[in-house]
Structures are given as structure tokens and as C-alpha cells.
């Protein structure tokens, strides 16, 4: 286990996975991370659908024409859905849970990638990507899908973050002002 800073430096989105399966204990730890994530007023408005069936993963990857290919080759994916009737910051609540899963996965040496679903459309440009997912997974059509998180052992090397290139100009100390 790395320390948290090293883990943050080394975590990169991984979109290519080996065929090695992730053992059930590690899948469980990743979901535990999601379930421990903070939520506004502790509303815990999320639902997580774990998918490891290869054919289903392939079909889910067709939810949008670009940027969803990693789903097809993932060892497993977690569909993150959030009920907006339970809390107004539902996007934030779902996002934090998704990020927690990525960090837990990274700590286990498992690669991951966020695949955006909210606000995205299928190849026809009209059908919301989430409709495809809701239908395939027999979900309520009233439950928005935020993203699909893909997980698997890395089949690509990514360079760690270059901390010398961090955008410190985005940080303002005390008041809004440009960094000299
Ligand atoms: C809100 C959000 C949406 C994203 N959507 C996608 C996506 O649909 N497909 C994809 O391959 N990567 C997606 N990513 C991953 C980003 O492209 C990636 O995090 C970014 O390029 C920075 O790279 P890094 O994660 O390796 O540091 C998304 C990330 C976030 C946070």
C-alpha cells in the first residue's frame, strides 16, 4: 500500500485491461469504498449495479459512440445511479462515491476509468445513453445513471502525474488574484 499522496500521483485512468478476473474480496472492498463515501445530509441516494457478464459489458459499451469502449473489456463495471428525489446535490454524492471506488481500486493495483453517462447520447444522437443502460439492466427509468465505472488489471502503462506541471494558477490565496 502506498501513502495517499503517492497513490494520487500514480492513479491514472486505465482503459485497457487484461483478461484476469478481480477476486470477489477486492470487488467487495471497492463497493465498500462507495458505500462509505460522504453524502449530503447522509442521504446516501445512490444505487450501484455490478456487472461482470462479458456479453452485458459489451452491450453496455454501446451506450454512446465515443468514450465507452473500456466497458467492453473491463473485468467488471459498476453502474452508478443516483436518485435526485432524495437530495439536490445528487450529482456530487454520486461523483464522490465513484471517485472513492477509483481510489480504492488504485490501492489494490486495479485500474479504473470513469465513463460519463449523464447528459450523453447513443449513436443516433437522440436516445439518452442512460436509457440504453436502464433497459439492459432492468432499472427503473426514473433513476438517472451518472456514470459507469470500469475496473480491471492494467494492460497499459500510464505515466504518473507530473507534479511539476500542476496548475497552481488555479489556486487563489486569500482573495481572487493572479499568481505572480
Ligand atoms: C466526469 C468525468 C467524465 C469522464 N468521462 C470519460 C469517458 O466518458 N470516457 C473515458 O474514457 N474517460 C472519461 N473520463 C476520464 C478522463 O478522461 C480522465 O480522468 C482525464 O483525462 C484525466 O486523466 P487521468 O484520470 O489519467 O488523470 C472522465 C472523467 C471524469 C472525471
Amino acid at each position: 500500500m502506498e501513502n495517499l499522496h503517492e497513490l494520487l500521483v500514480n492513479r491514472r485512468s486505465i482503459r485497457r485491461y487484461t483478461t484476469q478476473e478481480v477476486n470477489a474480496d477486492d470487488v467487495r472492498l471497492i463497493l465498500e469504498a462507495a458505500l462509505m463515501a460522504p453524502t449530503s445530509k447522509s442521504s446516501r441516494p445512490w444505487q450501484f449495479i455490478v456487472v461482470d457478464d462479458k456479453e452485458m459489458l459489451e452491450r453496455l459499451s454501446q451506450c454512446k459512440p465515443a468514450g465507452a469502449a473500456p466497458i467492453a473489456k473491463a473485468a467488471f463495471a459498476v453502474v452508478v445511479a443516483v436518485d435526485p428525489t432524495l437530495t439536490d446535490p445528487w450529482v456530487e454524492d454520486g461523483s464522490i462515491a465513484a471517485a472513492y471506488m477509483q481510489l480504492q481500486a488504485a490501492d489494490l493495483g486495479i485500474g479504473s476509468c470513469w465513463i460519463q453517462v449523464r447528459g450523453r447520447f447513443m449513436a443516433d444522437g437522440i436516445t439518452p445513453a442512460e436509457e440504453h443502460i436502464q433497459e439492459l439492466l432492468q432499472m427503473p427509468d426514473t433513476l438517472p445513471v451518472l456514470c459507469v465505472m470500469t475496473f480491471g488489471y492494467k494492460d497499459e502503462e500510464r505515466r504518473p502525474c507530473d507534479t511539476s506541471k500542476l496548475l497552481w494558477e488555479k489556486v487563489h490565496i486569500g482573495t481572487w488574484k493572479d499568481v505572480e
Side-chain angles (χ1 to χ4, degrees):
M1 177 162 121
E2 306 165 279
N3 69 38
L4 180 58
H5 185 261
E6 278 174 26
L7 186 137
L8 295 173
V9 168
N10 287 309
R11 184 218 56 84
R12 298 297 313 278
S13 292
I14 297 298
R15 300 182 175 86
R16 293 170 193 273
Y17 310 100
T18 69
T19 53
Q20 189 185 342
E21 290 185 6
V22 175
N23 74 56
D25 289 344
D26 286 353
V27 175
R28 188 184 166 88
L29 283 175
I30 290 168
L31 289 158
E32 266 191 23
L35 294 169
M36 287 191 287
T39 54
S40 172
K41 299 181 187 166
S42 205
S43 56
R44 289 168 283 188
W46 13 246
Q47 302 283 338
F48 305 102
I49 302 114
V50 184
V51 181
D52 66 357
D53 179 81
K54 300 294 167 218
E55 197 186 319
M56 183 61 89
L57 289 168
E58 167 63 39
R59 294 172 77 186
L60 286 171
S61 76
Q62 291 155 19
C63 68
K64 59 178 186 174
I71 302 173
K73 301 287 179 215
F76 73 101
V78 178
V79 174
V80 180
V82 195
D83 185 343
T85 67
L86 297 179
T87 185
D88 54 317
W90 61 278
V91 174
E92 291 85 341
D93 287 346
S95 301
I96 295 167
Y100 266 43
M101 286 194 277
Q102 288 202 281
L103 296 180
Q104 178 61 75
D107 193 46
L108 294 166
I110 294 166
S112 70
C113 190
W114 177 309
I115 308 299
Q116 180 70 16
V117 174
R118 189 179 68 87
R120 298 293 180 263
F121 292 86
M122 293 189 73
D124 64 10
I126 308 166
T127 312
E130 70 175 5
E131 266 185 40
H132 178 71
I133 295 172
Q134 288 163 336
E135 208 173 294
L136 282 174
L137 301 178
Q138 300 166 41
M139 294 167 59
D141 59 10
T142 49
L143 186 64
V145 176
L146 189 64
C147 58
V148 177
M149 302 304 295
T150 56
F151 298 95
Y153 289 102
K154 303 171 194 182
D155 198 23
E156 64 174 326
E157 276 311 315
R158 299 287 320 272
R159 255 179 270 159
C161 291
D162 181 349
T163 53
S164 71
K165 293 195 175 136
L166 294 177
L167 304 180
W168 283 101
E169 65 274 24
K170 305 264 187 188
V171 178
H172 308 268
I173 310 291
T175 59
W176 179 274
K177 61 188 175 195
D178 291 334
V179 176
E180 297 295 316

